[in-house]
Amino acid sequence: MSFHIRRIEPEDAAAMARLQSAPGVVRHTSQQPYQSAADWQHKLQQLSPSCHWLVACDAADEVIASAGLTILPQARCRHVADLFLLVRDEWQGKGVGRALMQALLELSDNWLGLIRLQLMAQQDNQRAIALYERFGFQHEGVVRQDILQDGRYVDSVVMARLHWPAGGQA
């Protein structure tokens, strides 16, 4: 199974609505299910320059995964970005998440000069947590009962990765 990575485009709105509706994806996000293509069109047209959003696409250019970095807007936090990653159910475990993480870290470390990448993952999303750990993310804490999932409240794990440029602070 082959795929390629590119920047997200407004034309990806319908594909993003499909991705966000996948049961395994919506279960592990804070997003509402059944978002429309029109909602996504609006989001993608209003995309901030501080959001660096990538998609992985299959051979037919259908979006199979999405990932990105959103740089924090506060002047004293511009070295920090929130990271997000979604992979369609049938593509999980096939290297798509790993490829997107590699692309994001390359962008972060070598082009954006970010020091801190942070994320939250639902505690039961062990596959995602293991992926983040492989890329150097460390657990920083737990946010208790913060997400309603399948009718019950679940905890999220706070994770972060610090990357100092050569010769920088350790």
Side-chain angles (χ1 to χ4, degrees), residues 10-160:
E11 296 77 31
D12 294 320
M16 286 303 299
R18 287 189 296 278
L19 173 63
Q20 281 284 150
S21 296
V25 172
V26 75
R27 182 174 198 277
H28 288 112
T29 69
S30 60
Q31 302 297 312
Q32 293 292 323
Y34 311 115
Q35 294 180 33
S36 72
D39 291 338
W40 274 101
Q41 186 74 35
H42 180 74
K43 282 181 195 179
L44 295 178
Q45 287 173 337
Q46 303 297 318
L47 204 56
S48 165
S50 67
C51 184
H52 301 272
W53 198 334
L54 304 175
V55 291
C57 300
D58 64 14
D61 210 35
E62 172 71 12
V63 174
I64 58 170
S66 168
L69 301 169
T70 304
I71 299 171
L72 300 188
Q74 299 88 346
R76 294 171 52 194
C77 296
R78 291 200 180 128
H79 63 290
V80 179
D82 291 328
L83 183 142
F84 61 90
L85 172 66
L86 309 168
V87 179
R88 208 160 70 191
D89 301 11
E90 65 271 22
W91 282 87
Q92 292 179 10
K94 297 185 171 142
V96 178
R98 182 177 60 244
L100 280 167
M101 285 295 293
Q102 288 169 334
L104 289 177
L105 296 184
E106 164 73 15
L107 182 63
S108 171
D109 297 348
N110 298 321
W111 297 98
L112 300 175
L114 298 173
I115 304 297
R116 177 183 170 86
L117 300 182
Q118 59 192 23
L119 61 88
M120 286 181 32
Q122 291 175 6
Q123 203 163 33
D124 67 341
N125 194 352
Q126 291 302 311
R127 180 178 268 169
I129 291 170
L131 175 69
Y132 301 138
E133 289 172 343
R134 281 193 298 275
F135 281 95
F137 283 78
Q138 297 180 351
H139 294 249
E140 292 190 331
V142 174
V143 180
R144 297 181 57 213
Q145 309 291 294
D146 71 316
I147 298 287
L148 181 63
Q149 178 192 79
D150 300 328
R152 62 185 180 85
Y153 291 96
V154 298
D155 298 345
S156 291
V157 178
V158 177
M159 301 179 76

